[in-house]
């Protein structure tokens, strides 16, 4: 384990000492379902944007390294959750 840094070694030692416990099947299923729902995109919409807004969103998406449709979807999702105003 010479290739591990200090933090990684502490984690390995903690794991090997049995200090970690399973979160349980119920939580695993909840997380699995949340992941599945976040991937599921089954509705399509059409939206009209100004040329400038369309260009700006494409530029921002390139800066973020995601497709512009993904960025727009993320913005809508965050707005609906109250994380974006």
């Amino acid at each position: 384990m010479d290739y591990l840094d200090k933090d990684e070694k502490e984690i390995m030692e903690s794991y090997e000492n049995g200090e970690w416990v399973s979160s349980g099947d119920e939580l695993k299923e909840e997380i699995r379902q949340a992941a599945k729902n976040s991937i599921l995109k089954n509705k399509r919409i059409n939206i009209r944007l100004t040329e400038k807004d369309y260009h700006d969103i494409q530029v921002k998406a390139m800066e973020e390294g995601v497709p512009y449709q993904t960025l727009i979807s993320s913005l809508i999702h965050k707005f609906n959750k109250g994380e974006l105003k």
Side-chain angles (χ1 to χ4, degrees):
M1 290 200 298
D2 292 335
Y3 55 89
L4 299 178
D5 68 20
K6 179 182 175 242
D7 293 330
E8 292 169 328
K9 286 179 183 177
E10 287 178 12
I11 292 171
M12 284 299 296
E13 288 173 11
S14 171
Y15 176 76
E16 289 170 351
N17 290 334
E19 297 172 5
W20 293 44
V21 295
S22 176
S23 60
D25 291 337
E26 188 175 309
L27 180 59
K28 287 179 188 176
E29 184 54 37
E30 184 180 329
I31 292 170
R32 189 177 293 117
Q33 189 62 42
K36 183 178 179 183
N37 289 342
S38 70
I39 294 173
L40 181 63
K41 297 195 172 38
N42 58 0
K43 297 293 179 189
R44 180 181 296 252
I45 65 168
N46 292 321
I47 185 170
R48 294 197 178 272
L49 300 172
T50 65
E51 188 72 32
K52 180 177 179 353
D53 286 340
Y54 179 71
H55 173 68
D56 290 348
I57 203 83
Q58 285 185 316
V59 169
K60 188 65 172 174
M62 285 193 309
E63 290 172 357
E64 297 293 322
V66 297
Y68 74 92
Q69 297 97 330
T70 302
L71 179 61
I72 292 169
S73 179
S74 174
L75 290 169
I76 292 170
H77 180 74
K78 288 178 181 177
F79 178 81
N80 284 338
K81 288 179 61 180
E83 297 174 2
L84 185 67
K85 297 182 184 210

